[in-house]
């Protein structure tokens, strides 16, 4: 019997996702037409023997989360429960705090998945590797180029045995081009080292807390465990941690720009996994270029031209002659006739007036470097907004015949003219 835990974090972690995270928790943001973590749940549900999926985070269990859990349980015929941490406990603290729930029923092993990654989740292959040689910790690893590897957990392996010999979280100089994907398979013994860290933290807290600064913004001593530093770095080279390498699709989803890129990866994967989710060109329907998802309730005019990499949400209206490329349109938005929207995200219930052009600048990984990933973008450089995708927050109104370029428009704004390279507050 197997279980899976998805680490969904909490509200203050989604800052690079603003203004989109104002409306729904980041893990529920639609990527390729379905909530980000539905991709994780689908992958887990396909593993035979999967008994339960636990979401661990520090979000208040609000209505969208509850509704998502109910519909996912029905769809996947699996118990899917949300366990709320009393405070941010780090990537390992929640696993230890909820250990009884995770181990209830005696699972042979459990997957642990970061919510903010996009992947083809090779869980079956990881399980096969685990069954060949059970170990407490199996990490999924992929390659990155030297510069970008510094943004991730870096793994030095023994190439014959795949034992992790050395692990450094986000090093300041090059350590290895194998990076941690944030996708793990743990055996029940993995909780023992977590208990050791917990106990050590408690002792240290009693001794040193009055002297120590909390540098992480986490509540110190309250069971905070950083899986990466406290466990992987500490246990590397002791025969407990192994890496399973993949060359399948993988990307982090930290910002709106990376959600658009992840959407492209998942849409291309749908060719194999969910062909029914891709819109096929049909006579009398809109012109479709490449991979496009259209929610069944959306109304799309037959003269619209969509794709590649377009996802259209529930109840969206797309008028005559609209052109959409590399864009996510969220539910209830209206794109009036002849609008052109490229490299953008159009927020819930927004309206783009006739002949308006909404355009962003993509920040995709270097296509000539097979090991390149999305750069972890910062919005500003030298006090200036960097060109990036355009994001319209929810219920924004763009008038007819204007240009909105490389801009972020906060929710409920009613614009009256064109804007370029601006955050419109
Ligand atoms: N439940 C819970 N989840 C958390 C907490 N803190 C973070 N998470 C979740 O844990 C995941 C990792 O979060 P970060 O702390 O933001 O780490 P990171 O910068 O994404 O780096 C991690 O992932 C990389 C791969 O994407 C790894 O390369 C890296 O080593 C590390 O594991 C995210 O899904 C986040 O929601 C917490 O206190 N509680």
């Amino acid at each position: 019997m197997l279980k899976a835990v998805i680490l969904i974090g909490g509200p203050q972690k989604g800052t690079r996702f603003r203004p989109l995270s104002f409306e729904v928790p980041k893990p529920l943001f639609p990527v390729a037409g379905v909530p980000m973590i539905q991709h994780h749940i689908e992958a887990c549900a396909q593993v035979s023997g999967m008994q339960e999926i636990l979401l661990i985070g520090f979000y208040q269990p609000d209505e969208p989360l509850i509704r998502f859990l109910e519909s996912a349980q029905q769809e996947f015929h699996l118990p899917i429960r949300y366990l709320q941490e009393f405070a941010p406990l780090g990537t390992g603290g929640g696993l230890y705090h909820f250990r009884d729930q995770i181990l209830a029923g005696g699972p042979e092993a459990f997957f642990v998945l970061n919510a903010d990654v996009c992947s083809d989740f090779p869980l079956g292959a990881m399980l096969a590797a685990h069954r060949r040689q059970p170990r407490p910790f199996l990490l999924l690893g992929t390659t990155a180029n030297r510069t970008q590897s510094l943004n991730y957990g870096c793994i030095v392996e023994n190439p014959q045995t795949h034992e992790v010999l050395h692990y450094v979280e986000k090093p300041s100089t090059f350590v290895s081009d194998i990076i941690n994907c944030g996708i793990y398979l743990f055996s029940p013994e993995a909780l023992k080292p977590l208990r050791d860290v917990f106990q050590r933290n408690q002792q240290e807290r009693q001794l040193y807390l009055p002297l120590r600064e909390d540098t992480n913004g986490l509540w110190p001593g309250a069971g905070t465990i950083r899986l990466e530093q406290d466990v992987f770095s500490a246990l590397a080279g002791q025969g407990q941690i192994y890496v399973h390498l993949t060359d399948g699709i993988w990307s982090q989803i930290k910002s709106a720009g990376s959600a658009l890129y992840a959407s492209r990866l998942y849409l291309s994967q749908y060719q194999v996994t969910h062909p029914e989710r891709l819109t096929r060109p049909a006579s009398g329907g809109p012109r479709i270029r490449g991979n496009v998802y259209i929610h069944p309730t959306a109304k799309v005019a037959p003269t619209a031209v969509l794709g590649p990499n377009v996802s259209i949400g529930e109840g969206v209206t797309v008028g005559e002659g609209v052109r959409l490329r590399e864009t996510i349109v969220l539910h209830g938005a209206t794109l009036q006739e002849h609008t052109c929207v490229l490299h953008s995200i159009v927020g819930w219930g927004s309206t783009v007036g006739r002949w308006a052009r909404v355009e962003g600048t993509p920040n995709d990984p270097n296509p000539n470097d097979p090991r390149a990933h999305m750069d972890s973008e910062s919005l500003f450089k030298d006090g200036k907004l960097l060109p990036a995708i355009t994001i319209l927050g929810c219920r924004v109104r763009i008038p007819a015949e204007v240009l909105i370029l490389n801009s972020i428009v906060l929710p409920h704004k009613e614009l009256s003219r064109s804007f370029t390279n601006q955050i419109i507050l």
Side-chain angles (χ1 to χ4, degrees):
M1 187 265 258
L2 295 158
K3 292 203 186 186
V5 174
I6 305 175
L7 298 172
I8 65 169
Q12 86 244 27
K13 287 262 168 180
T15 47
R16 276 192 276 169
F17 225 73
R18 285 180 189 161
L20 300 167
S21 53
F22 290 156
E23 292 306 306
V24 295
K26 178 178 148 185
L28 298 187
F29 183 80
V31 179
V34 303
M36 191 185 294
I37 54 170
Q38 183 163 326
H39 297 282
H40 300 55
I41 293 174
E42 281 174 6
C44 293
Q46 274 171 17
V47 179
S48 94
M50 183 59 63
Q51 210 78 90
E52 184 177 44
I53 300 175
L54 301 169
L55 272 47
I56 300 186
F58 50 97
Y59 284 99
Q60 288 300 328
D62 60 358
E63 204 202 310
L65 188 58
I66 303 290
R67 236 184 308 124
F68 169 75
L69 289 176
E70 282 169 1
S71 78
Q73 296 206 64
Q74 281 181 3
E75 187 172 346
F76 298 104
H77 310 291
L78 267 178
I80 305 175
R81 289 191 294 139
Y82 175 53
L83 304 176
Q84 189 186 356
E85 292 168 9
F86 57 94
L89 294 179
T91 44
L95 296 176
Y96 183 69
H97 185 75
F98 293 112
R99 61 195 177 282
D100 292 343
Q101 315 249 18
I102 296 171
L103 297 184
E108 154 197 7
F110 55 97
F111 292 98
V112 177
L113 313 175
N114 286 359
D116 60 358
V117 296
C118 145
S119 170
D120 51 7
F121 298 103
L123 306 184
M126 290 176 76
L127 183 61
H130 172 81
R131 285 189 173 148
R132 275 195 302 275
Q133 192 100 59
R135 318 276 194 188
F137 300 92
L138 182 64
L139 280 46
L140 186 70
T142 189
T143 47
N145 63 38
R146 287 178 76 94
T147 327
Q148 290 181 332
S149 67
L150 310 181
N151 302 323
Y152 303 93
C154 291
I155 297 168
V156 179
E157 64 154 0
N158 173 333
Q160 273 81 45
T161 62
H162 299 299
E163 184 194 342
V164 175
L165 301 175
H166 189 50
Y167 182 97
V168 190
E169 182 62 19
K170 304 191 182 99
S172 45
T173 54
F174 178 72
V175 168
S176 165
D177 60 358
I178 301 177
I179 59 165
N180 169 13
C181 294
I183 297 171
Y184 317 112
L185 181 58
F186 292 173
S187 75
E189 290 90 83
L191 290 164
K192 285 190 199 135
L194 291 179
R195 182 196 56 203
D196 298 341
V197 177
F198 179 83
Q199 288 173 347
R200 208 173 45 239
N201 281 351
Q202 296 304 93
Q203 284 162 4
E204 262 183 28
R205 180 177 180 236
Q206 280 156 10
L207 288 174
Y208 304 118
L209 184 65
L211 307 173
R212 212 173 64 181
E213 284 280 311
D214 171 29
T215 50
N216 272 330
L218 297 173
W219 184 19
T224 303
I225 301 176
R226 299 159 310 167
L227 210 44
E228 300 82 358
Q229 293 92 333
D230 298 333
V231 181
F232 301 156
S233 290
L235 294 187
Q238 297 180 25
Q240 299 204 52
I241 311 183
Y242 284 74
V243 58
H244 177 86
L245 295 175
T246 179
D247 54 9
I249 64 162
W250 184 82
S251 181
Q252 271 189 328
I253 311 180
K254 290 290 180 194
S255 60
S258 53
L260 194 51
Y261 177 66
S263 204
R264 188 195 307 161
L265 297 181
Y266 278 135
L267 286 174
S268 69
Q269 215 202 354
Y270 284 171
Q271 303 261 9
V272 181
T273 58
H274 291 283
E276 75 289 353
R277 285 189 187 158
L278 293 173
T279 308
R280 298 274 153 238
S283 67
R287 287 190 13 225
I288 303 295
R289 308 253 167 91
N291 298 325
V292 171
Y293 167 86
I294 303 179
H295 192 278
T297 58
K299 289 195 191 70
V300 182
T303 51
V305 183
L306 315 182
N309 184 19
V310 167
S311 305
I312 308 251
E314 198 179 329
V316 166
T317 306
V318 178
E320 297 288 346
V322 167
R323 176 71 176 107
L324 297 179
R325 196 170 73 207
E326 299 285 340
T327 286
I328 297 177
V329 186
L330 298 165
H331 81 234
T334 302
L335 307 176
Q336 294 178 349
E337 301 88 82
H338 305 289
T339 56
C340 174
V341 184
L342 313 174
H343 302 284
S344 298
I345 297 181
V346 179
W348 298 269
S350 288
T351 304
V352 181
R354 306 166 69 219
W355 293 100
R357 184 179 177 99
V358 175
E359 183 169 354
T361 301
N363 238 320
D364 292 348
N366 177 358
N368 299 318
D369 176 357
R371 298 185 307 166
H373 293 281
M374 233 10 228
D375 264 322
S376 51
E377 317 109 279
S378 76
L379 284 179
F380 300 95
K381 192 173 177 195
D382 305 328
K384 282 197 174 148
L385 184 66
L386 290 169
I389 68 160
T390 285
I391 306 169
L392 308 183
C394 84
R395 281 179 267 289
V396 162
R397 293 184 77 85
I398 306 290
E401 298 178 32
V402 297
L403 167 68
I404 310 294
L405 181 64
N406 301 340
S407 295
I408 299 175
V409 185
L410 265 73
H412 305 283
K413 290 281 138 196
E414 204 154 315
L415 304 189
S416 55
R417 61 175 177 89
S418 298
F419 287 91
T420 300
N421 299 332
Q422 285 196 43
I423 297 185
I424 300 148
L425 298 168

